[in-house]
Amino acid sequence: MPKLYDDDEARRPILQPDTDSEEPPATGSRILRQSDDDELSQGRTGCGTSACCNPSSALHRFMALILMCLVGFGSYFCYDNPGALQDKFKSDLDLSTSQFVWLYSIYSWPNVILCFIGGFLIDRVFGIRLGTIIYMFILLIGQLIFATGGLINQFWLMILGRFLFGIGAESLAVAQNNYAVLWFKGKELNMVFGLQLSFARVGSTVNFLVMVPVYNYVRNMGYEGHQCMGVVLLIATLTCVMSMLCALVLGWMDKRAARILKRNDNPPNGEVAKLSDIGTFKITFWMVTIICVAYYVAIFPFIALGKVFFMRKFGFTPEDANTVNSIVYIVAGVASPIFGLIVDRTGRNVLWVFLSIVVTMVAHGLLAFTFYNPYIAMITMGMAYSMLASSLWPLVALIVPEYQLGTAYGICQSVQNLGLAVISMFSGLIVDEGGYFMLEIFFIGWLVVSLIATIVIWLYNSNNNGVLNMSPAERELHASKLVGEYESF
């Protein structure tokens, strides 16, 4: 008999506001009332009387959401430090385009394996709180080594730093996804993923907007060449310190919420994640991983190399090229939570993924085959990117049981990093040998692959229960039927 109840139970919101209903919670429910806990119901004074201290309140969950978003801010800010200073890296450190691209590909290579392991360790060993802190610490150390390598002009040390930075950053992204599902699984999840992406893109946008002025300021202080670059990268490291503090506070809040709400974080029926579970994942999950590779390789490597592209094709200054190159992130910072709310209200996740891929192909086509104002294409790409992230990542929580989410998200990140590592290297070679036009054709080809994978999801889902492309009301009805079928046995 399929585990109908377990699957439905795994998809319910973990934290919900208290209600006035006197009906006792259903058997097996992980949600307890506010009145079940003495800390909230008896003798509340001071902060205990306010919504900001009540883990079941919307305000408290919003505070946790802000911390979840800020945990990733430093990671995304520092990830694109090389992209914002591409011409400075190449001149100050005497790098070719192929060598420069190594700063991105080496970030991805370790996560082909370690990101999956990181997700599995969250499920099975560390838990979400300790795992987040450990991965944030690794990220911080990696950024410090990267900056030190620039300061003393040792490229191999910079590569080592980016290697460690990548290990921490991608596993940290898995932990963020788990936090989002833990606190917001239900109607709000698409919005939460969108808002997390928004903050991440804000980090990247701020990086593109401030790194050149910071570089110029440091140079005016008397630093030159690689020393100037090293000091600038050390300044950027402060954002990772801020994110580390947020990870510590968020861990404390989650531990407190679990205690007060008597939240049972153990999987249903005592099931635990096992490596053999990978063989049970559905074809829809594997198609999601293909989209994670084929779509994102047409975004991140392009932005990493985009500054010089806009300088060459459109004659922009370095500052203007950075601005237009950051448009995708600026738009995503605003549009992601909006699209998340729209997907929360409409559902139809697979349809939104399909539309976002088609729109992204149009944006790359404009950049490849026309000389229209590139701001139009980059704004279009930013809208499509926001649409995809808000609808694609929540699909994993609809496909995979909750106790396997760390493993599942780890697989997605690992496969994505394999693609990014390989494609980043090929992108640099394509630019050196064939120019940016061939690079655009290359990216459009990968978008076609992601479109095919989406069609496979659509067809498979339509021939089965169809839950991935249902509206929220249809999903609730479907879930209630599953519970009814289970209780009838």
Side-chain angles (χ1 to χ4, degrees):
M1 173 69 189
K3 299 172 184 175
L4 299 174
Y5 180 76
D6 290 351
D7 288 345
D8 177 63
E9 175 67 23
R11 293 184 173 88
R12 294 184 182 177
I14 303 287
L15 299 176
Q16 293 181 344
D18 189 29
T19 65
D20 296 328
S21 171
E22 297 182 0
E23 183 180 349
T27 302
S29 173
R30 282 173 276 172
I31 304 169
L32 293 179
R33 297 174 183 221
Q34 181 174 326
S35 60
D36 289 336
D37 188 87
D38 291 338
E39 184 171 339
L40 290 178
S41 62
Q42 299 179 8
R44 287 184 293 170
T45 59
C47 183
T49 63
S50 64
C52 67
C53 294
N54 184 347
S56 63
S57 71
L59 177 59
H60 190 84
R61 293 194 302 150
F62 178 76
M63 293 167 57
L65 175 58
I66 296 300
L67 288 172
M68 292 177 204
C69 295
L70 290 176
V71 163
F73 181 90
S75 169
Y76 283 92
F77 182 93
C78 292
Y79 171 79
D80 271 321
N81 285 166
L85 298 171
Q86 180 182 353
D87 52 331
K88 308 299 182 185
F89 267 84
K90 295 172 71 174
S91 60
D92 290 352
L93 302 172
D94 193 25
L95 304 178
S96 67
T97 302
S98 299
Q99 288 177 310
F100 172 80
V101 169
W102 262 100
L103 296 176
Y104 282 96
S105 62
I106 199 64
Y107 168 98
S108 300
W109 274 117
N111 293 297
V112 172
I113 299 297
L114 295 180
C115 194
F116 158 65
I117 295 175
F120 180 76
L121 288 175
I122 289 176
D123 282 339
R124 194 68 187 268
V125 181
F126 297 144
I128 188 172
R129 294 186 286 269
L130 180 60
T132 300
I133 294 170
I134 290 174
Y135 298 142
M136 188 68 234
F137 180 75
I138 295 173
L139 181 154
L140 176 60
I141 295 300
Q143 178 66 14
L144 283 172
I145 294 174
F146 178 58
T148 302
L151 191 65
I152 63 177
N153 196 23
Q154 294 295 320
F155 186 65
W156 70 267
L157 193 60
M158 299 182 75
I159 292 295
L160 175 62
R162 288 291 278 188
F163 182 89
L164 292 175
F165 181 86
I167 293 174
E170 291 301 300
S171 296
L172 181 67
V174 174
Q176 282 184 280
N177 291 337
N178 276 31
Y179 259 130
V181 174
L182 180 64
W183 281 71
F184 294 96
K185 194 166 188 177
K187 295 181 180 179
E188 301 163 315
L189 189 58
N190 294 289
M191 182 275 292
V192 169
F193 272 97
L195 192 60
Q196 281 191 334
L197 173 65
S198 175
F199 268 73
R201 297 288 66 98
V202 166
S204 297
T205 301
V206 173
N207 161 76
F208 276 104
L209 295 178
V210 308
M211 287 304 287
V212 171
V214 169
Y215 180 91
N216 292 335
Y217 175 79
V218 172
R219 186 178 58 186
N220 292 336
M221 292 176 60
Y223 295 95
E224 295 182 355
H226 64 86
Q227 290 185 335
C228 180
M229 182 62 66
V231 172
V232 170
L233 294 176
L234 285 173
I235 293 174
T237 305
L238 295 176
T239 60
C240 296
V241 175
M242 179 273 295
S243 292
M244 182 67 178
L245 295 175
C246 291
L248 293 171
V249 175
L250 179 60
W252 172 79
M253 287 182 65
D254 186 68
K255 184 176 181 179
R256 177 176 179 270
R259 172 174 54 84
I260 292 176
L261 297 174
K262 296 182 173 64
R263 189 179 72 207
N264 180 15
D265 292 337
N266 295 321
N269 294 340
E271 293 179 294
V272 295
K274 303 183 292 293
L275 291 177
S276 59
D277 291 340
I278 298 174
T280 67
F281 289 169
K282 299 176 181 178
I283 187 174
T284 48
F285 170 76
W286 297 112
M287 289 300 104
V288 168
T289 64
I290 290 176
I291 297 171
C292 287
V293 177
Y295 182 85
Y296 283 99
V297 297
I299 301 294
F300 295 137
F302 172 75
I303 292 175
L305 298 171
K307 180 178 180 179
V308 175
F309 167 71
F310 292 114
M311 291 169 63
R312 289 182 183 178
K313 181 169 182 177
F314 298 96
F316 286 176
T317 64
E319 290 78 9
D320 290 339
N322 256 351
T323 300
V324 69
N325 201 32
S326 66
I327 285 294
V328 171
Y329 293 158
I330 294 174
V331 172
V334 177
S336 295
I338 296 174
F339 277 115
L341 286 171
I342 293 173
V343 177
D344 278 331
R345 298 293 183 269
T346 64
R348 316 293 182 189
N349 290 59
V350 182
L351 175 61
W352 285 107
V353 172
F354 181 87
L355 291 175
S356 65
I357 295 171
V358 172
V359 173
T360 306
M361 292 175 67
V362 172
H364 272 290
L366 288 174
L367 292 172
F369 301 110
T370 75
F371 282 85
Y372 287 133
N373 189 330
Y375 280 92
I376 297 174
M378 296 301 282
I379 291 172
T380 302
M381 191 182 300
M383 296 288 285
Y385 172 59
S386 304
M387 192 189 307
L388 180 124
S390 299
S391 54
L392 178 68
W393 290 101
L395 280 178
V396 179
L398 293 173
I399 298 170
V400 178
E402 187 176 324
Y403 72 94
Q404 298 172 333
L405 279 177
T407 305
Y409 279 122
I411 291 173
C412 288
Q413 297 285 136
S414 294
V415 176
Q416 183 185 79
N417 277 283
L418 173 61
L420 289 174
V422 174
I423 299 307
S424 293
M425 295 174 61
F426 272 106
S427 297
L429 293 173
I430 290 172
V431 170
D432 285 339
E433 301 296 330
Y436 280 95
F437 177 77
M438 293 304 299
L439 183 65
E440 283 287 7
I441 300 300
F442 184 65
F443 288 150
I444 291 173
W446 280 106
L447 289 171
V448 171
V449 173
S450 67
L451 193 65
I452 294 172
T454 305
I455 293 172
V456 172
I457 294 176
W458 203 326
L459 294 175
Y460 183 89
N461 182 66
S462 299
N463 291 329
N464 290 274
N465 56 29
V467 67
L468 302 183
N469 212 31
M470 288 180 178
S471 68
E474 291 171 338
R475 284 174 184 164
E476 290 181 7
L477 179 61
H478 177 74
S480 64
K481 288 181 178 178
L482 289 179
V483 174
E485 291 175 11
Y486 177 85
E487 292 176 346
S488 65
F489 284 92

